[in-house]
Amino acid sequence: MYACQRTHSLLLTQPIHSLPSSSFLLLRFSSMLPRLTHKLKLLHLHSLPPPSSFLLRRRHYPPQFSKFPYYPSSSAPFLPLKLPMASSSSSLSHSQHKHSNRLASEQSPYLLQHAHNPVDWYPWGEEAFAEARRRDVPIFLSIGYSTCHWCHVMEVESFEDEGVAKLLNDGFVSIKVDREERPDVDKVYMTYVQALYGGGGWPLSVFLSPDLKPLMGGTYFPPEDKYGRPGFKTILRKVKEAWDSKKDLLVKSGAAAIEQLSEALSASSVSDKLSDGVPDDALRLCAEQLSETYDSKFGGFGSAPKFPRPVETNLMLYHSKKLDDTGKLDGANANREMVFFTLKSMAKGGIHDHIGGGFHRYSVDECWHVPHFEKMLYDQGQIANVYLDAFSITKDTFYSCVARDILDYLRRDMIGPDGEIFSAEDADSAETEGATRKKEGAFYIWSRKEVEDILGEHADIFIEHYYIKQSGNCDLSSMSDPHDEFKGKNVLIEREESKDPSEIASKYSMSIETYKDILGECRRKLFEVRSRRARPHLDDKVIVSWNGLVISSLARASKILLGEAEGTKFYFPVVGTEPKEYMQIAEKAALFIKKQLHNAETQRLNHSFRNSPSKAPGFLDDYAFLISGLLDLYEFGGGINWLQWAIELQGTQDALFLDGDGGGYFNNTGEDTSVLLRVKEDHDGAEPSGNSVSAINLIRLASMLAESKAEHYKRNAEHLLAVFEKRLKALPMAVPLMCCAADMLRVPSRKQVVVVGERNSEEFERMLAAAHASYDPNKTVLHIDPNNKEEMEFWEQNNSNIALMAKNNHAANKVVALVCQNFTCSPPVTDQSSLDALLSKKSSSSST
């Protein structure tokens, strides 16, 4: 999910703010540290020098999830990799490989990449556990994902090494886990490593007892001892020695660690409501804390490396809307300007793929220039939604075009034949077709000569616009390329300090329209050349939760983009898709999940799909993110069937994950006895937490349905938020989306827009677009066709007031809209401008 960990093993130096989940675990586990660190002494690794470590000297940084000011420096070169292209698509048969192991029968691209290591890998499961018990040896658990750079490095350095393989095969049972396929397993051992050492990431390397209790762990280990720190071979020998001589003490310590983690993570609340004042204080304090970390020069919150954490912009826009509604215009404008400048800086920076569309994982420097080139699906869905929000507020097509850029990239490169949406593209690729050596960013970077040869007469314009230099342009920050890995190469960027495009156009005696046309055509030419390069590995696994995030952005785009001015011109890589086509793509993705990953009898989800459904069941995030996407599918014009499925899934989620007594949702069902912890996630990081999204889903459902159903959803949301009251008070910056949810719950009455008319008419589409044209996160849009028997029956059963409104306002050849709030509805309107006027009135829904 997140970018690979770049920190070297046992003693990690990451600040606690970088932890990816269960916010700031060190604060929770401080009492555990003296007992847990005793294991370091058992392994004779307690006297390691301060971690000035191997990987902290590299250009690559650890995963960052909340962007606080301190990060490790970089002082060692990046490793080019000698790697196979994707093992999962290799044409070689097993007999043509020197080694094959049990991973060859798996579906995960990550596991398949390791199927021909000399290490005798097992997948996670009883066969491996039984073998460890039979041999009475510890388990070595390695967790990563297919597009993780340092996972690849550790494979090449260690897992393909015959000497390392012998140590592992002789002394351990080795298990490989794809953390995207089994996030529940990853959560247990990542939580352990974070609690013990203060940081974590991937590859995650943990030693377990045969009964799966953690003994010792870390992240990446180089094969040999370096910088006074033990290498992987040394660690393997010492763990084996400790197991042989002090097994009972290690096992007891591991059992105690799990017990202590379970206690620390058992969040619950006797109270079923938040205390008065908490939502308002948490929202305000989170906005203030984010403002204090704002980078006014380059945009973004925090310093390098910079991650696009969309939940931060969600909160700032939500808070600005609240300030607007309460007359605090200066504060509202200040919040919005921070967001808009950040979004413009990201879109102009190298973190944005100017040639092919979409966004890379993060920027290693403060100016959004040189990225880690991996592309993750969860980023694309969330970032597209933020740009759609910015367009809703400003009506500036700069933002709508960036949203289109992302969605068009997904449509072109990341969607399968049946509508399924793939997970990720790797950062690394071969520099030339057929080469065995892969390099970070090879697919995306350019020399000046390449640009000149490809673009000919227009090269000078393009070179000036995108800051292309003969020596390479990765020189804007000391953090961009400290070891000249990209010497002579250019990462395209539109610099804020550069001349305005109209000035450059004037310099070349052309109109700004002609200038934009030329730039678009230049990008198209470079795209065509780039398409002939060796592509990065595609992880074609389909993950329900991440599909849910993208379904949301696609559905929202289908109506919000109808607000673009008529005649808006688009430039490559934006293709000018008709907005309604985005709805079709969203519905096809949802249908794929329903067909392939949903059991109609049990009403349960599977977590992922590749050739067939994975063995892993759906997790909390799968249900929560998919329900959110389905609610958007319905609200933005999809059929009532999507709302019905969302309600069904919410019932299943409650049955599987809800803590009925203590409140909130666990991350897994607790049915798999090999998963030793059930965690209630709260941290809104690169992805929002399942509990934050669930709280908002419950609030939205409560606003759609009536009476007992609505009260049930509202009670669960209230109890959920009460569980995390301490977090909202003490560390709101860790839970920005939950801060929004807490405020939403306090709104006395959400605004409801009810659109009544014939669904297939153009006027119905336009009225729905008008209903969604303005930014208002405390608004619910319902639509109903009185001629549709299924819809009328649904509303009669679930909210008879909506059915009655449809009957009373049904007019032939007319579409009617009503705006309702505080148990009062406006007179019906029949044109978009009247609806716009109603919705532009200052909201009375904001809590004060």
Side-chain angles (χ1 to χ4, degrees), residues 5-289:
Q5 170 71 25
R6 322 300 185 201
T7 307
H8 171 58
S9 92
L10 292 169
L11 293 178
L12 304 176
T13 61
Q14 270 299 274
I16 57 175
H17 312 300
S18 69
L19 301 184
S21 58
S22 301
S23 13
F24 309 106
L25 284 163
L26 278 186
L27 297 180
R28 298 184 181 186
F29 302 135
S30 56
S31 63
M32 295 169 50
L33 294 179
R35 287 169 282 173
L36 293 182
T37 51
H38 180 61
K39 286 189 290 300
L40 287 173
K41 296 182 180 180
L42 293 176
L43 298 183
H44 307 292
L45 297 172
H46 61 287
S47 59
L48 295 175
S52 57
S53 102
F54 172 69
L55 285 178
L56 294 183
R57 297 184 164 103
R58 298 192 179 282
R59 185 178 75 85
H60 289 266
Y61 293 88
Q64 197 61 35
F65 309 100
S66 39
K67 294 179 288 306
F68 282 69
Y70 167 76
Y71 299 92
S73 62
S74 156
S75 60
F78 166 77
L79 290 180
L81 302 175
K82 188 176 182 182
L83 290 171
M85 297 311 286
S87 300
S88 55
S89 60
S90 173
S91 61
L92 293 176
S93 67
H94 295 336
S95 62
Q96 292 174 287
H97 289 283
K98 184 177 179 182
H99 302 282
S100 288
N101 56 54
R102 292 165 185 82
L103 302 186
S105 300
E106 294 296 305
Q107 300 280 16
S108 157
Y110 177 63
L111 299 189
L112 289 169
Q113 287 170 352
H114 294 264
H116 303 294
N117 296 161
V119 177
D120 187 18
W121 291 114
Y122 287 77
W124 182 266
E126 181 55 35
E127 182 186 6
F129 312 151
E131 180 66 8
R133 291 193 298 268
R134 185 187 70 80
R135 291 174 52 196
D136 191 25
V137 295
I139 291 168
F140 170 66
L141 174 64
S142 176
I143 303 178
Y145 57 102
S146 75
T147 59
C148 165
H149 173 78
W150 286 100
C151 300
H152 300 332
V153 172
M154 195 163 177
E155 178 189 14
V156 171
E157 291 180 339
S158 293
F159 303 144
E160 291 183 350
D161 182 271
E162 298 282 354
V164 171
K166 181 170 175 52
L167 288 171
L168 282 169
N169 296 341
D170 290 350
F172 303 85
V173 168
S174 299
I175 298 178
K176 250 308 166 188
V177 167
D178 182 341
R179 54 111 35 227
E180 294 171 354
E181 193 173 65
R182 292 301 304 259
D184 55 336
V185 175
D186 177 67
K187 175 59 59 183
V188 173
Y189 301 107
M190 182 63 74
T191 301
Y192 165 79
V193 168
Q194 290 170 342
L196 188 54
Y197 306 117
W202 300 277
L204 183 64
S205 305
V206 188
F207 297 94
L208 315 178
S209 63
D211 63 352
L212 309 180
K213 305 299 192 301
L215 309 175
M216 182 53 56
T219 55
Y220 164 86
F221 297 97
E224 307 293 344
D225 300 352
K226 287 189 179 182
Y227 306 110
R229 302 178 62 77
F232 191 44
K233 293 177 183 176
T234 297
I235 289 166
L236 290 175
R237 293 186 186 101
K238 289 199 174 286
V239 172
K240 181 66 168 63
E241 289 169 10
W243 180 260
D244 290 342
S245 62
K246 300 171 182 175
K247 177 174 63 176
D248 291 344
L249 194 55
L250 278 176
V251 170
K252 183 178 179 181
S253 182
I258 286 295
E259 183 179 343
Q260 291 157 28
L261 287 171
S262 182
E263 289 174 7
L265 294 169
S266 58
S268 62
S269 176
V270 176
S271 172
D272 58 3
K273 289 186 179 181
L274 282 171
S275 302
D276 291 342
V278 171
D280 194 58
D281 289 345
L283 186 70
R284 175 185 49 77
L285 184 57
C286 187
E288 288 175 358
Q289 289 175 343

Side-chain angles (χ1 to χ4, degrees), residues 566-581:
E566 190 173 342
T568 298
K569 191 166 183 181
F570 305 108
Y571 304 93
F572 192 86
V574 176
V575 298
T577 301
E578 283 293 323
K580 65 182 178 182
E581 293 180 35

Side-chain angles (χ1 to χ4, degrees), residues 503-693:
E503 290 184 44
I504 305 177
S506 177
K507 172 182 172 181
Y508 289 96
S509 303
M510 61 180 65
S511 68
I512 188 66
E513 289 77 15
T514 301
Y515 179 74
K516 289 180 179 179
D517 279 335
I518 289 172
L519 288 178
E521 187 56 31
C522 288
R523 289 192 295 268
R524 184 190 304 277
K525 289 180 179 179
L526 291 175
F527 176 83
E528 290 170 355
V529 171
R530 195 178 82 172
S531 297
R532 296 193 288 271
R533 292 176 174 177
R535 290 195 66 88
H537 161 68
L538 170 68
D539 187 328
D540 57 358
K541 182 168 68 268
V542 179
I543 296 174
V544 171
S545 57
W546 299 358
N547 272 245
L549 293 172
V550 174
I551 287 168
S552 170
S553 60
L554 288 163
R556 296 181 76 241
S558 72
K559 295 300 178 290
I560 292 173
L561 293 178
L562 289 172
E564 291 172 324
E566 190 173 342
T568 298
K569 191 166 183 181
F570 305 108
Y571 304 93
F572 192 86
V574 176
V575 298
T577 301
E578 283 293 323
K580 65 182 178 182
E581 293 180 35
Y582 292 126
M583 175 62 78
Q584 294 165 4
I585 299 167
E587 291 192 310
K588 195 172 180 181
L591 281 171
F592 178 89
I593 293 171
K594 191 162 191 179
K595 180 179 178 181
Q596 299 290 355
L597 288 162
H598 177 252
N599 185 314
E601 292 182 14
T602 64
Q603 299 183 354
R604 290 190 176 198
L605 295 168
N606 283 84
H607 170 63
S608 63
F609 181 98
R610 188 174 183 275
N611 299 325
S612 63
S614 67
K615 300 169 189 173
F619 303 107
L620 173 61
D621 288 1
D622 296 310
Y623 286 85
F625 294 8
L626 179 58
I627 290 167
S628 179
L630 293 175
L631 292 177
D632 284 332
L633 261 185
Y634 167 72
E635 284 203 54
F636 284 81
I640 197 70
N641 56 305
W642 301 122
L643 178 54
Q644 290 171 315
W645 193 25
I647 293 168
E648 174 196 299
L649 288 172
Q650 187 63 58
T652 305
Q653 177 183 317
D654 291 351
L656 295 176
F657 305 100
L658 181 66
D659 182 350
D661 296 325
Y665 293 97
F666 293 107
N667 67 325
N668 63 67
T669 65
E671 295 170 342
D672 185 345
T673 57
S674 72
V675 181
L676 304 183
L677 292 176
R678 296 184 82 193
V679 179
K680 292 181 185 177
E681 297 266 20
D682 62 357
H683 182 258
D684 296 318
E687 298 172 59
S689 79
N691 273 295
S692 295
V693 175

Side-chain angles (χ1 to χ4, degrees), residues 754 756 784-786 792 801-811:
V754 182
V756 180
I784 182 168
D785 184 345
M792 290 299 291
N801 290 331
I802 303 299
L804 185 62
M805 275 193 272
K807 290 176 183 177
N808 292 343
N809 292 281
H810 184 202

Side-chain angles (χ1 to χ4, degrees), residues 626-767:
L626 179 58
I627 290 167
S628 179
L630 293 175
L631 292 177
D632 284 332
L633 261 185
Y634 167 72
E635 284 203 54
F636 284 81
I640 197 70
N641 56 305
W642 301 122
L643 178 54
Q644 290 171 315
W645 193 25
I647 293 168
E648 174 196 299
L649 288 172
Q650 187 63 58
T652 305
Q653 177 183 317
D654 291 351
L656 295 176
F657 305 100
L658 181 66
D659 182 350
D661 296 325
Y665 293 97
F666 293 107
N667 67 325
N668 63 67
T669 65
E671 295 170 342
D672 185 345
T673 57
S674 72
V675 181
L676 304 183
L677 292 176
R678 296 184 82 193
V679 179
K680 292 181 185 177
E681 297 266 20
D682 62 357
H683 182 258
D684 296 318
E687 298 172 59
S689 79
N691 273 295
S692 295
V693 175
S694 293
I696 294 173
N697 290 345
L698 292 167
I699 294 165
R700 293 175 70 182
L701 285 167
S703 74
M704 295 177 175
L705 307 186
E707 299 172 352
S708 62
K709 296 183 181 72
E711 286 303 313
H712 168 75
Y713 291 135
K714 189 175 180 181
R715 278 197 306 273
N716 283 348
E718 288 174 334
H719 199 180
L720 182 161
L721 290 165
V723 171
F724 302 106
E725 178 166 329
K726 289 182 180 178
R727 196 76 55 239
L728 289 163
K729 286 180 177 178
L731 296 164
M733 193 168 169
V735 289
L737 196 64
M738 192 171 287
C739 292
C740 296
D743 189 79
M744 287 179 184
L745 192 60
R746 290 184 71 230
V747 172
S749 175
R750 280 174 71 88
K751 187 180 293 183
Q752 282 187 331
V753 182
V754 182
V755 178
V756 180
E758 185 181 338
R759 178 173 300 284
N760 295 325
S761 68
E762 285 296 319
E763 184 58 30
F764 190 88
E765 286 289 299
R766 287 194 290 270
M767 195 69 89

